[in-house]
Amino acid sequence: MKKILVTGGLGYIGSHTVVELQEAGYEVVVIDNLDNSSLEIKNRIEKISGCTLEVIVSDINNEDVLDEVFETYRFDGVIHFAAYKAVGESVENPIKYYRNNIGGLIQILAAMQKHEVSNLIFSSSCTVYGVAKELPVTENTPIQLAESPYGTTKIMGEELIQDFIQYQSIKAVLLRYFNPVGAHPSALIGELPNGVPSNLVPYITQTAAGIREQLTVHGNDYNTEDGSCIRDYIHVVDLAKAHVKALAYAETMKDKVEVFNVGTGNGTSVLEIIRAFEQQCNLKLNYRIGPRREGDVEQIFADTTKIKKALKWEADYGIEEMMYHAWMWQKNIPT
Ligand code: NAD
Ligand code: WQD
């Protein structure tokens, strides 16, 4: 049985990935400091997969713990999710982001080197493309100057990995996620937003649940069909499955590093998302049109040719299931 370390494995994308890994027959060890998660998620993962899950509650920046964990388990690969992800907070507190996202990655790379672990999957983001000059974006679309310290940590993270592994026997797959949404169909795991959500789908579900009064659509005067912004929303379970494929791919790939866009390839507007939510959940959402949000990209969606071909992966779920599962999860969030 192959052993995989999943950092941040009790978080939103991590928890769904752990389920898929266990279901695919991997032995999984999670390290998570519970900064944006809880131990209850371990029980829920176990309930879905029917497998027990080893969880080490620790910060990845604790070198001694990391060393001991790597020594004990002798991993075949690492999937590195642990990081902070709030764009706005990163503008207010960049050092916090550099420290955790870059510092944490350095700890992981150092441990992989020391303990001779050869496969790394890294969580990158479509944020590296900034305002792309061409659509859809391919993996060769130029990376732009980051628009937030969070974005900087993803660009630097990619660069750091590419630089470091040149001199090591480590191979890395960098996955650039588009907009992950939805939840596990069991409604046992999903996203746990911290405070007032800044992301669209948690804001929608919290509004429908009466936690927020009204959703504001950030602008309907963009140069798109209905005037609202366009994104490539990807169901978190599809995204999780891409990690399982990426891991298998890393073991056999010829190059030391590969980059993949992980999206559906379809662009969906904010107003289309709202309509899909209302239809799927049979609800009327209280929303208004507001001004544009500073820093928003008008539209971005992925060219998925590369991942389809190399990883033989493509998204199964559509917007309808993304909305329905997000709503089922919202109604089932542990309090
Ligand atoms: P999340 O906050 O739900 O999960 C991150 C997990 O890492 C949490 O459980 C948290 O407790 C843990 N963690 C954070 N710092 C840690 C540390 N120093 N030591 C140990 N554990 C730590 O976030 P997510 O949405 O699951 O995102 C996972 C990764 O994917 C992140 O790297 C994020 O930047 C990236 N990503 C997320 C999105 C998105 O929209 N959710 C999009 C693109 C990329
Ligand atoms: C989606 C659309 C908003 C909230 C962010 C990060 C990105 C990546 C994914 C990590 C936009 C609109 C939103 C609301 C709205 N994360 N919106 N009203 O901005 O595409 O990407 O999350 O890597 O780096 O920047 O996602 O969900 O915030 O917004 O109208 O209350 O919904 O303007 O068009 P975004 P989002």
Side-chain angles (χ1 to χ4, degrees):
M1 225 179 181
K2 294 217 160 130
K3 279 197 205 100
I4 306 300
L5 176 68
V6 180
T7 76
L10 296 186
Y12 176 42
I13 306 168
S15 57
H16 290 82
T17 303
V18 170
V19 167
E20 296 303 323
L21 285 168
Q22 289 188 321
E23 288 180 349
Y26 286 94
E27 184 181 337
V28 182
V29 177
V30 162
I31 182 163
D32 198 304
N33 64 358
L34 309 184
D35 183 274
N36 198 27
S37 52
S38 83
L39 266 183
E40 169 58 19
I41 303 301
K42 166 181 147 64
N43 303 333
R44 289 167 173 241
I45 291 172
E46 289 176 338
K47 198 164 170 193
I48 299 170
S49 69
C51 305
T52 53
L53 176 65
E54 194 69 43
V55 174
I56 288 111
V57 177
S58 170
D59 198 301
I60 53 166
N61 292 294
N62 186 328
E63 213 173 310
D64 294 338
V65 172
L66 211 56
D67 201 34
E68 199 187 314
V69 171
F70 272 80
E71 187 60 44
T72 309
Y73 292 98
R74 313 233 139 249
F75 297 112
D76 297 286
V78 176
I79 306 186
H80 180 46
F81 292 108
Y84 296 140
K85 62 167 177 178
V87 175
E89 185 192 46
S90 80
V91 175
E92 281 154 31
N93 198 347
I95 297 295
K96 176 175 173 182
Y97 277 68
Y98 304 149
R99 208 167 256 152
N100 200 36
N101 296 9
I102 312 261
L105 172 62
I106 292 171
Q107 296 292 352
I108 293 298
L109 292 175
M112 288 182 71
Q113 177 186 28
K114 182 172 175 193
H115 297 276
E116 297 176 343
V117 180
S118 53
N119 303 305
L120 172 68
I121 314 296
F122 176 67
S123 301
S124 189
S125 165
C126 68
T127 194
V128 302
Y129 296 116
V131 182
K133 291 197 179 65
E134 55 185 40
L135 284 172
V137 290
T138 73
E139 290 78 359
N140 293 324
T141 299
I143 284 177
Q144 307 277 341
L145 248 186
E147 300 203 344
S148 70
Y150 168 74
T152 303
T153 67
K154 290 299 167 192
I155 295 173
M156 288 182 70
E158 286 196 6
E159 281 178 0
L160 205 70
I161 292 169
Q162 306 216 32
D163 189 60
F164 181 70
I165 64 177
Q166 283 182 67
Y167 317 109
Q168 311 295 328
S169 51
I170 297 177
K171 288 191 280 182
V173 176
L174 315 179
L175 297 179
R176 293 179 181 156
Y177 313 154
F178 280 65
N179 286 54
V181 297
H184 196 270
S186 64
L188 285 170
I189 53 172
E191 189 168 11
L192 287 170
N194 218 339
V196 182
S198 54
N199 293 119
L200 178 64
V201 175
Y203 209 106
I204 288 178
T205 57
Q206 289 197 5
T207 305
I211 302 166
R212 311 280 153 214
E213 204 186 324
Q214 189 178 48
L215 169 82
T216 301
V217 174
H218 298 319
N220 70 345
D221 58 351
Y222 285 97
N223 187 23
T224 61
E225 202 153 306
D226 64 21
S228 64
C229 290
I230 289 177
R231 297 288 181 273
D232 187 338
Y233 297 92
I234 164 103
H235 196 295
V236 66
V237 171
D238 281 328
L239 176 58
K241 288 180 177 163
H243 290 77
V244 182
K245 296 266 182 158
L247 205 52
Y249 185 79
E251 282 167 8
T252 56
M253 72 188 193
K254 282 192 225 82
D255 291 328
K256 297 214 76 174
V257 62
E258 283 285 0
V259 183
F260 294 105
N261 285 339
V262 197
T264 62
N266 303 316
T268 308
S269 76
V270 175
L271 292 169
E272 284 171 334
I273 286 283
I274 294 173
R275 266 197 302 281
F277 180 82
E278 290 184 327
Q279 269 168 19
Q280 287 305 308
C281 308
N282 209 10
L283 285 162
K284 210 74 212 117
L285 193 73
N286 182 13
Y287 72 92
R288 70 174 187 103
I289 307 295
R292 292 182 177 198
R293 182 172 74 175
E294 208 189 307
D296 262 342
V297 170
E298 180 176 278
Q299 47 180 318
I300 185 157
F301 47 96
D303 182 310
T304 56
T305 313
K306 188 179 174 195
I307 193 166
K308 275 186 191 156
K309 194 161 172 232
L311 261 56
K312 312 227 170 352
W313 170 92
E314 69 181 303
D316 284 330
Y317 287 118
I319 292 295
E320 294 74 21
E321 291 108 335
M322 297 182 211
M323 294 304 114
Y324 185 68
H325 293 154
W327 179 230
M328 290 299 108
W329 161 245
Q330 177 67 55
K331 293 199 290 184
N332 207 27
I333 286 183
T335 44

